[in-house]
């Protein structure tokens, strides 16, 4: 029958739902004093204090013994198999599972819910529901004294945490109305708790009870100021201001009234606004724009942020105003600022297609590496879901029409949107408009003077005439000043004469945008034929920034000729150079140049094909240096494309990082416009880069297309390599069964082809998910056979990789000496060929051996050396893994705080790149750090959360360790029943995967746990 000790309400021992007699009040207090520390030793002095405070009777120890005896009899009367109380030296222990004590079970459920919040909100809510079933009334009802009061306060604080956690979970799901009754009963008990009151006010506001929310905030803030002083209540004041301004509840909730567990990673705060410039003029327009942002409204009504359009002719300064405003109002948008170029007037964009802009928004907002859908409607839904409770400012720059913008609005969200466009956007419901005209004369003169930066060769009257000829249009003024700067021998008078002499001068700008094109035409006509070709072709580049090699590919010109042409374009401000040898084209100039290219449709298509060939050829060259171990499918040769000189690994890594955005854009272009063969070759080239940047899972559809193409084409070698690429994507999403299936299919193809090198690589890729799922015996057999083959091939790199994988398998099988020999061989082989990544991976593996054998000092040294080498790489996941491994050694060395910091940092990275296995490892490591610091109660829910993740992804090795670590922490806290269940799981899985050391460890702990509760010492 079910046994339970109740400390909430009347103190009771219940068996099968029926309460048994306990005797007088002091006997019940004695039971409570022992039950609160169930499974732990409680000193006699502590028991005396808990029962009699600081005024015990002279015979307190003898009387305590009497009460303990009564409790023992009551327990035996209730249930012959009831828990026992044993006496030790000057202490007593009640041998009962803490979760059989209602208040201990309650606090355990609350802590587990907090640990799961953010990873599994539904499970967290279920745990809080379960927690409520363990409370039956006021703790220790009828018992007075300082310790009972302290326990009631402790449980009250836990109840407050539980309520706030439940409210946060409900509000995360947009269920503000349901959060109100959770919080409201606690507000009178905690009248000056700003976090609680702030959360309740936001919930009231979100549930449509705004008047109640403002009254609550005003009343509480007055009391806080009275009790604390004028500095008090700032958080409440910010929330009140937001409510009065009509800010939706989701945005206010994001401002920080929540209490979060330390292990939870905050969502990213994007801020990619372009650089602000020293501001001149536009004061009235800036006030109108900021006022319109404050008024709110927009598509979603009262729950939506403002939508404001900034409209005007090309070159009038719309983008500059929007960006400057973004900096001015930054404090109003705590969830970030996003700038997205819609390219409505850049001809390489497709008007109205939102996919590119949505992808940009999601990449800026979401964790790096998060998989993005392919369908437009799904992209829109994901964007609106992410923006739902964020108070951000989004600038959509250069929109072409209302329909294009409407699909990008965040819907019912506190996010504000500023749209710039050359057109009047009349189809946006609720949008406010700020219209820009040309600059006043004084501001245009000031703009010219600030750009020029000198006064010695210019007179005020001449400058006034120049800006008059420019029509006070900011872009024209900027072009005029830049031209003067480019001619060191000119004065303002010289420039003015040039602009006003003859036909076709800048005076034509007075007629608006049409004449601005004439300015571009004037510059264009001064170029040589080669320079004109370069100018036209740059407009075809898919990215915003490019290098001379890409332009050479677009034009088909020699590199040296292209570089000279770019220099001339730079001098005439037709291109800009934001970084050395990196160029960009202004959108207005891009529009003009693209209009010239449109007349060359056939040549433009050929140019884009050459650009794609260039990027994939250069990427292939760089990737072969950075990842020399890959089995490669060769690209189709093109001897007419000039590739950059990439001669070593650092140069290759730098090029890949610099061009990663352009490479991704090129892959997108090939996916839409290239052949299936081009796509299959390109995604193969970029697999490792996409993996390093955390984007491989988002490309899974393309990887599947590659596999299908090679199958149809009958190229079985390429098909096998494509399957390996697909398997990597599956592994990094913790989909191990699919990864194993892909690698096995590739291995079968390689064996059929009789290609020993490809076969070895297939074995390596197969062994990774096999090892992650604990199939160590199979991995050992495969790797031993593969290693023999590679030694015969005399391939040092591949032999080193096999030594590392085989060593990791030996280590899992507790063959430490064999593992050490393999890792030392790998380190020697990697060092001989100068393979830096292999070196730090081998150092990490050697440190793992040292950790297993108890040489923690050597492990720390090796880990730190590996980390110092790995910091030069761009793979955040590898660095996080090394730091987490170092944390394990530091825990054993007693350096728990540094271990905790490292593990929490690793957890952030793993969650950011959606690495569920890494997340489980990091959660478990954080739990171990807490336990090592004497905080086992905090450790238990973290271990349970880690175990839940490990089971979900079928990571058998992690199930073994997390179940064991959870059991150890549970034994510390007296949860013997749960500990035994987890030890049995660890033992069973260890035996299943053939991990003898782990099986022995679990079996020993299980034997101890089974016998410990039966050891009794009678008085």
């Amino acid at each position: 029958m079910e046994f339970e000790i109740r400390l909430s309400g009347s103190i009771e021992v219940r068996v099968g739902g029926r309460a048994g007699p306990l005797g007088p009040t002091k006997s019940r207090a004695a039971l409570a004093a022992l039950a609160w520390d169930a499974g732990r030793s409680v000193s006699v002095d502590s028991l005396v204090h808990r029962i009699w405070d600081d005024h015990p009777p002279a015979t307190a120890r003898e009387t305590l013994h009497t009460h303990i005896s009564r409790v023992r009899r009551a327990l035996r009367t209730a249930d012959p198999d009831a828990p026992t109380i044993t006496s030790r030296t000057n202490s007593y222990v009640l041998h009962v599972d803490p979760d059989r004590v209602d208040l201990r079970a309650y606090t355990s459920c609350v802590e587990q819910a907090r640990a799961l919040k953010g990873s599994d909100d539904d499970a967290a809510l279920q745990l809080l529901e379960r927690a409520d079933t363990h409370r039956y009334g006021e703790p220790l009802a009828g018992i007075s004294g300082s310790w009972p009061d302290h326990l009631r306060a402790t449980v009250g604080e836990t109840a407050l945490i539980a309520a706030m956690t439940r409210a946060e979970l409900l509000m995360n799901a947009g269920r503000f109305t349901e959060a109100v009754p959770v919080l409201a009963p606690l507000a009178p008990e905690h009248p000056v708790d700003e976090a609680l009151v702030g959360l309740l006010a936001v919930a009231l506001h979100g549930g449509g009870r705004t008047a109640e929310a403002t009254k609550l905030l005003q009343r509480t803030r007055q009391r806080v100021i009275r009790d604390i002083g004028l500095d008090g209540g700032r958080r409440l004041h910010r929330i009140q201001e937001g409510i009065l301004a009509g800010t939706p509840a989701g945005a206010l909730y994001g401002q920080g009234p929540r209490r979060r567990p330390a292990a939870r990673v905050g969502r990213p705060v994007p801020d990619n606004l372009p650089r602000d410039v020293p501001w001149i003029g536009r004061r009235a327009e800036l006030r109108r724009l900021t006022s319109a942002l404050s008024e709110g409204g927009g598509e979603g009504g009262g729950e939506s942020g403002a939508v404001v359009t900034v409209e005007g002719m090309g070159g009038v300064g719309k983008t500059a105003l929007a960006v400057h405003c973004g900096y001015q109002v930054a404090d109003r948008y705590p969830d970030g600022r996003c700038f997205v170029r819609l390219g409505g007037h850049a001809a390489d964009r497709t008007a109205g297609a939102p996919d590119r802009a949505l992808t940009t928004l999601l990449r800026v907002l979401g964790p790096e590496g998060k998989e993005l859908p392919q369908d437009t409607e799904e992209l829109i839904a994901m964007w609106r879901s992410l923006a739902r409770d964020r108070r951000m400012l989004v600038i959509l720059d250069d929109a072409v029409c209302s329909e294009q913008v409407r699909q990008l609005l965040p819907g019912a969200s506190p996010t504000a949107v500023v749209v710039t466009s050359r057109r009047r956007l009349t189809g946006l419901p609720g949008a406010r408009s700020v219209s820009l005209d040309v600059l006043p004369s004084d501001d245009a003169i000031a703009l010219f003077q600030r750009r020029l930066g000198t006064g010695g060769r210019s007179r005020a009257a001449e400058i006034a005439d120049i800006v008059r000829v420019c029509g006070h249009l900011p872009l024209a003024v900027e072009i005029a000043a830049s031209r003067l700067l480019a001619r060191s021998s000119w004065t303002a008078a010289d420039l003015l004469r040039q602009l006003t002499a003859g036909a076709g001068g800048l005076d034509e700008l007075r007629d608006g945008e049409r004449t601005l094109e004439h300015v571009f035409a004037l510059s264009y006509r001064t170029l040589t034929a080669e320079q004109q070709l370069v100018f036209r072709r740059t407009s075809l580049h898919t990215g915003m920034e490019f290098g001379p090699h890409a332009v050479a590919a677009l034009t088909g010109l020699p590199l040296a000729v292209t570089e000279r042409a770019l220099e001339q374009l730079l001098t005439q401000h037709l291109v800009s150079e934001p970084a050395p040898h990196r160029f960009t084209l202004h959108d207005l100039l891009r529009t003009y140049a693209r209009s010239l290219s449109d007349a060359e449709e056939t040549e433009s298509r050929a140019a884009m094909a050459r650009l794609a060939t260039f990027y994939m050829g250069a990427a292939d060259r760089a990737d072969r240096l950075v990842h020399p171990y890959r089995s490669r499918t060769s690209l189709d040769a093109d001897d007419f494309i000039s590739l950059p000189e990439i001669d070593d690994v650092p140069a290759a890594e730098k090029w890949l990082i610099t061009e990663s955005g352009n490479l991704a854009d090129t892959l997108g272009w090939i996916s839409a416009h290239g052949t299936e063969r081009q796509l299959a070759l390109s995604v193969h080239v970029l697999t490792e880069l996409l993996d390093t940047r955390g984007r491989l899972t988002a490309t899974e559809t393309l990887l599947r297309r590659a596999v299908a193409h090679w199958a149809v084409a009958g190229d079985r070698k390429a098909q096998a390599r494509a399957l390996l690429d697909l398997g990597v994507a599956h592994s990094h999403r913790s989909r191990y069964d699919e990864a194993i299936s892909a690698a096995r299919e590739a291995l079968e193809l390689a064996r059929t082809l009789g290609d020993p090198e490809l076969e070895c690589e297939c074995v390596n890729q197969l062994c990774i998910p096999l090892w992650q799922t604990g199939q160590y015996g199979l991995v050992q057999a495969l790797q031993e056979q593969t290693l023999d083959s590679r030694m015969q091939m005399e391939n040092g790199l591949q032999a080193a990789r096999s030594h590392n994988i085989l060593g990791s398998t030996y280590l899992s099988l507790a063959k430490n000496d064999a593992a050490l020999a393999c890792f030392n061989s790998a380190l020697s082989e990697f060092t001989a060929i100068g393979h830096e990544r292999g070196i730090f991976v081998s150092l990490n593996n050697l440190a793992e051996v040292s950790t297993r054998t108890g040489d923690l000092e050597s492990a720390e040294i090796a880990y730190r050396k590996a980390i110092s080498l790995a910091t030069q790489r761009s793979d955040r996941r590898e660095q996080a893994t090394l730091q987490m491994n170092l944390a394990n050694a530091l825990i054993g060395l007693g350096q728990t705080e540094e271990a905790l910091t490292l593990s929490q940092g690793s957890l952030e990275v793993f969650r950011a790149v959606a690495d569920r296995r890494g997340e489980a490892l990091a959660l478990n490591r954080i739990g171990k750090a807490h336990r090592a610091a004497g905080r086992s109660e905090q450790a238990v829910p973290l271990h349970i959360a880690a175990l839940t993740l490990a089971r979900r992804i079928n990571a058998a090795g992690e199930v073994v360790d997390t179940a064991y670590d959870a059991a150890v922490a549970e034994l510390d806290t007296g949860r013997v029943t749960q500990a035994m269940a987890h030890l049995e799981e660890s033992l069973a899985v260890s035996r299943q995967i053939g991990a003898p050391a782990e099986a022995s460890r679990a079996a020993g702990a299980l034997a101890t746990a089974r016998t410990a509760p039966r050891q009794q010492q009678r008085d």
Side-chain angles (χ1 to χ4, degrees):
M1 290 187 291
E2 193 75 11
F3 178 89
E4 182 185 17
I5 297 176
R6 289 190 180 178
L7 303 185
S8 57
S10 299
I11 300 172
E12 296 177 342
V13 173
R14 301 181 70 87
V15 179
R18 300 179 60 183
L22 281 174
T25 299
K26 296 300 183 186
S27 295
R28 289 186 284 118
L31 173 62
L34 287 168
W36 181 246
D37 279 297
R40 296 190 291 246
S41 178
V42 186
S43 69
V44 170
D45 290 340
S46 293
L47 291 170
V48 168
H49 170 72
R50 291 180 180 185
I51 297 171
W52 288 285
D53 284 348
D54 296 326
H55 305 286
T59 58
R61 288 177 174 264
E62 291 79 5
T63 306
L64 173 64
H65 174 75
T66 300
H67 289 304
I68 295 294
S69 297
R70 287 174 178 165
V71 172
R72 282 177 173 148
R73 286 195 297 272
L75 292 172
R76 288 196 297 269
T77 300
D79 184 356
D81 296 324
T84 59
I85 300 174
T86 62
S87 61
R88 298 176 179 173
T89 305
N90 206 34
S91 65
Y92 289 91
V93 180
L94 172 60
H95 294 287
V96 66
D97 186 334
D99 287 343
R100 296 295 184 187
V101 180
D102 59 349
L103 293 184
R104 289 289 299 279
Y106 172 73
T107 56
S108 175
C109 287
V110 171
E111 287 302 317
Q112 289 183 46
R114 293 181 69 197
L116 283 175
K117 188 176 67 173
S119 292
D120 192 339
D121 284 2
D122 290 338
L125 277 172
Q126 292 174 6
L127 281 165
L128 291 174
E129 294 290 343
R130 190 190 309 167
D132 288 342
T133 65
H134 294 294
R135 290 195 68 190
Y136 307 99
E138 180 188 51
L140 308 188
I143 306 293
S144 60
S146 60
W147 179 74
D149 288 344
H150 171 73
L151 186 144
R152 282 189 278 268
T154 299
V155 175
E157 179 63 23
T158 303
L160 177 63
I161 292 171
M164 294 184 68
T165 301
R166 187 194 303 271
E168 290 171 358
L169 293 167
L170 292 170
M171 292 166 72
N172 279 341
R175 297 155 62 183
F176 292 96
T177 301
E178 296 176 53
V180 172
V182 176
L183 298 170
L186 295 170
E189 302 173 21
H190 306 274
V192 293
D193 188 322
E194 293 187 56
L196 170 63
V197 173
L199 202 61
L200 175 56
V202 173
L204 287 166
H205 176 51
R209 298 159 64 177
T210 301
E212 292 180 56
T214 55
K215 289 179 182 178
L216 171 66
L217 289 168
Q218 185 176 10
R219 181 173 67 250
T220 305
R221 187 162 178 259
Q222 289 173 349
R223 181 164 180 173
V224 170
I225 292 174
R226 183 177 70 246
D227 293 350
I228 300 175
L230 292 177
D231 289 337
R234 289 184 176 179
R235 170 187 285 176
L236 302 182
H237 179 63
R238 287 195 300 270
I239 295 174
Q240 189 170 18
E241 280 189 327
I243 290 177
L244 293 175
T247 304
L252 292 173
Y253 172 54
Q255 289 182 5
R258 294 173 284 182
R259 295 179 177 177
R260 296 176 182 266
R264 179 172 177 176
V265 180
R267 61 190 177 196
V269 178
D271 191 350
N272 69 331
L273 290 192
R275 180 176 63 88
D276 199 8
V277 296
W279 194 246
I280 293 174
R282 300 292 194 203
R283 298 177 185 85
E285 294 93 334
L286 185 61
R287 282 196 299 271
R288 290 203 302 272
L289 179 54
T290 55
S291 175
L293 287 172
S294 298
E295 291 174 9
E299 187 181 43
E303 282 294 330
S304 296
V307 178
V308 187
T309 62
V310 181
E311 302 166 353
M313 63 180 292
V316 80
K318 303 178 294 296
T319 300
L321 178 66
V323 169
H324 183 68
C325 178
Y327 281 94
Q328 295 295 305
V329 300
D331 58 334
R332 300 185 192 175
Y333 300 97
D335 289 325
R337 301 171 296 177
C338 298
F339 183 89
V340 181
R341 297 184 189 275
L342 299 183
H345 298 88
D348 64 329
R349 309 292 198 268
T350 302
D355 300 63
R356 185 186 183 96
L358 288 165
T359 300
T360 299
L361 283 166
L362 293 172
R363 284 179 177 172
V364 170
L365 266 185
E368 188 176 352
K370 183 176 178 63
E371 182 178 11
L372 300 182
Q374 304 296 316
D375 182 72
T376 299
E377 293 301 320
E378 291 178 2
L379 283 168
I380 293 172
M382 178 179 284
W383 153 233
R384 290 179 175 172
S385 174
L386 286 174
R388 181 177 55 205
D389 66 340
R390 283 176 162 90
R391 185 173 178 80
M392 300 182 298
L393 176 66
V394 174
I395 298 175
L396 301 176
D397 185 57
D398 198 12
V400 69
C401 63
S402 298
E403 180 59 28
Q404 181 188 35
V405 174
R406 190 180 296 111
Q407 297 180 82
L408 302 176
L409 294 180
S413 164
T415 289
V417 179
V418 175
V419 186
T420 72
S421 178
R422 299 181 197 177
R423 302 182 181 182
R424 189 175 299 278
L425 303 178
T426 58
L428 299 177
R432 291 159 174 78
S433 174
V434 175
S435 181
L436 295 190
D437 201 350
V438 297
L439 288 171
S441 178
D442 290 345
D443 289 339
I445 291 170
L447 175 63
F448 186 90
Q449 289 174 326
R450 184 182 291 277
R451 178 68 182 88
L452 197 62
T454 63
R457 57 194 178 115
S458 304
R459 292 189 302 174
E462 293 165 344
I463 294 175
D465 286 339
I466 290 172
V467 299
R468 177 182 54 80
V469 171
C470 291
H472 303 151
L473 188 66
L475 178 60
V477 172
E478 173 74 15
I479 292 173
S482 298
R483 294 183 75 186
L484 180 56
L485 282 172
R487 307 296 291 267
S488 59
S489 63
W490 280 16
T491 66
D494 295 320
L495 175 62
L496 182 61
R497 281 192 296 271
Q498 179 71 19
L499 297 177
T500 57
L506 277 177
D507 58 323
E508 296 183 9
L509 291 169
R510 297 173 190 155
D511 292 333
E513 187 175 6
R514 177 182 60 84
T515 55
L516 179 61
E517 183 177 341
H518 292 172
V519 173
F520 297 151
L522 177 64
S523 299
Y524 178 74
R525 286 198 297 269
T526 64
L527 302 176
T528 66
E530 288 175 343
Q531 292 165 3
Q532 288 179 345
L533 177 63
V534 170
F535 179 64
R536 294 196 306 273
R537 291 290 188 263
T538 54
S539 69
L540 300 175
H541 194 275
T542 53
M544 298 304 297
E545 188 178 291
F546 46 83
H549 286 86
V551 180
L554 282 165
T555 61
L557 295 172
L559 178 62
V561 174
T562 302
E563 289 177 327
R564 286 195 297 271
L566 283 170
E567 286 183 13
Q568 290 302 311
L569 296 178
L570 182 64
T571 299
Q572 299 190 44
H573 293 274
L574 292 174
V575 297
S576 58
E577 190 178 22
H581 310 296
R582 302 292 295 174
F583 301 92
T584 187
L585 193 65
H586 190 280
D587 279 351
L588 295 175
L589 291 168
R590 183 187 292 268
T591 301
Y592 173 68
R594 188 61 180 265
S595 70
L596 301 174
S597 294
D598 286 344
E600 309 170 311
E601 184 177 352
T602 302
E603 292 88 344
S604 294
R605 284 199 300 268
M608 287 301 299
R610 288 195 303 269
L611 180 67
T613 300
F614 157 72
Y615 271 127
M616 290 306 121
D620 185 56
R621 172 180 291 184
D623 192 68
R624 286 175 184 272
L625 287 169
V626 177
H627 305 106
Y629 51 81
R630 293 185 65 197
S631 179
R632 304 252 176 200
T633 299
S634 297
L635 298 182
D636 298 328
D638 191 328
D639 297 333
F640 298 99
I641 298 295
S642 176
L643 299 180
E645 294 182 4
I646 305 172
D647 299 324
D648 55 35
V649 173
E653 288 183 330
K654 181 179 179 181
W655 188 90
L656 287 169
I657 293 169
T658 301
E659 298 288 1
S660 60
N662 287 331
L663 290 170
D665 286 341
T666 301
L667 182 61
W669 184 90
I670 292 171
S671 175
H673 304 286
T675 66
E676 286 298 298
R677 177 181 175 81
Q678 288 174 314
L679 174 64
L681 289 169
S682 299
V683 74
H684 171 66
V685 167
L686 297 182
T687 291
E688 287 290 346
L689 175 65
L690 294 168
D691 183 30
T692 299
R693 308 302 288 177
R695 298 175 182 174
L696 187 58
T697 55
T699 320
E700 185 176 325
T701 300
L702 302 184
L703 293 168
R704 292 185 183 279
R705 282 175 62 180
V707 173
H709 166 74
W710 295 123
V712 171
D715 190 332
R716 290 182 291 174
K717 282 190 179 181
Q719 182 185 356
R721 296 182 184 112
L723 284 164
L724 294 181
D725 296 338
L726 181 61
V728 171
H730 288 322
S731 283
H732 288 168
R733 294 185 65 189
S734 302
R735 288 159 46 180
Y736 300 127
D737 290 343
E738 293 176 67
I740 291 169
S741 176
R744 278 184 169 149
E745 187 177 350
L747 179 59
E748 290 174 5
L749 286 170
R751 286 172 173 166
T752 301
L753 292 166
D755 187 330
E757 184 175 345
L758 178 59
E759 182 178 342
C760 288
E761 183 57 26
C762 291
V763 169
N764 265 0
Q765 293 299 328
L766 173 60
C767 285
I768 293 171
L770 287 174
W771 182 84
Q772 288 166 329
T773 53
Q775 301 180 56
Y776 304 135
L778 180 55
V779 175
Q780 178 183 345
L782 287 169
Q783 278 301 322
E784 287 176 345
Q785 180 181 359
T786 299
L787 183 58
D788 288 340
S789 300
R790 283 187 164 164
M791 296 299 287
Q792 293 173 13
M793 295 177 196
E794 298 183 354
N795 188 326
L797 173 61
Q798 300 293 9
R801 294 178 68 216
S802 288
H803 272 127
N804 259 339
I805 297 174
L806 184 57
S808 296
T809 307
Y810 285 147
L811 193 61
S812 298
L813 294 169
K815 299 177 180 180
N816 295 338
D817 291 340
L820 184 62
C822 280
F823 294 146
N824 278 322
S825 295
L827 180 60
S828 298
E829 290 157 349
F830 281 128
T831 302
I833 60 177
H835 192 272
E836 191 172 274
R837 183 183 181 277
I839 292 171
F840 73 67
V841 170
S842 299
L843 285 170
N844 171 79
N845 292 339
L846 286 168
E848 287 288 291
V849 176
S850 296
T851 301
R852 290 285 189 99
T853 57
D855 188 0
L856 299 180
E857 291 80 4
S858 297
E860 180 186 2
I861 293 171
Y863 280 134
R864 293 194 187 277
K865 186 175 180 181
I867 289 171
S868 69
L869 292 173
T871 52
Q872 304 303 316
R873 297 183 59 83
S874 60
D875 193 333
R876 298 167 59 206
R877 179 165 44 206
E878 284 183 331
Q879 295 176 32
T881 299
L882 291 170
Q883 290 172 352
M884 186 175 60
N885 291 343
L886 171 60
N888 195 40
L890 294 177
I891 290 170
L893 291 168
Q895 301 175 43
T896 54
E897 292 310 310
E898 183 183 358
L900 193 59
T901 300
L902 289 170
S903 300
Q904 288 173 336
S906 296
L907 178 64
E908 294 178 14
V909 173
F910 290 133
R911 282 180 168 167
V913 299
D915 186 337
R916 303 295 273 174
R917 177 176 175 270
E919 182 180 352
L921 287 167
L923 282 169
N924 199 57
R925 195 76 80 241
I926 294 170
K928 289 186 70 174
H930 278 303
R931 178 176 175 268
R935 300 187 292 264
S936 293
E937 285 286 356
Q938 290 178 248
V940 169
L942 290 161
H943 290 313
I944 297 300
L947 180 57
T948 301
L949 280 176
R951 288 171 179 156
R952 187 179 303 161
I953 63 175
N954 191 31
E958 281 63 59
V959 170
V960 167
D961 287 336
T962 54
Y964 177 81
D965 290 332
V968 172
E970 286 165 339
L971 287 173
D972 285 348
T973 58
R975 296 175 171 86
V976 178
T977 302
Q978 293 92 324
M980 290 175 63
H982 285 139
L983 288 171
E984 288 170 350
E985 180 178 15
S986 181
L987 177 60
V989 179
S990 297
R991 288 172 173 168
Q992 176 186 338
I993 65 177
E998 286 75 7
S1000 177
R1001 177 184 65 180
L1006 187 59
T1008 302
R1010 284 171 174 163
T1011 58
R1014 298 179 186 144
Q1015 296 173 356
Q1016 300 179 12
Q1017 180 180 344
R1018 300 291 184 181
D1019 289 344

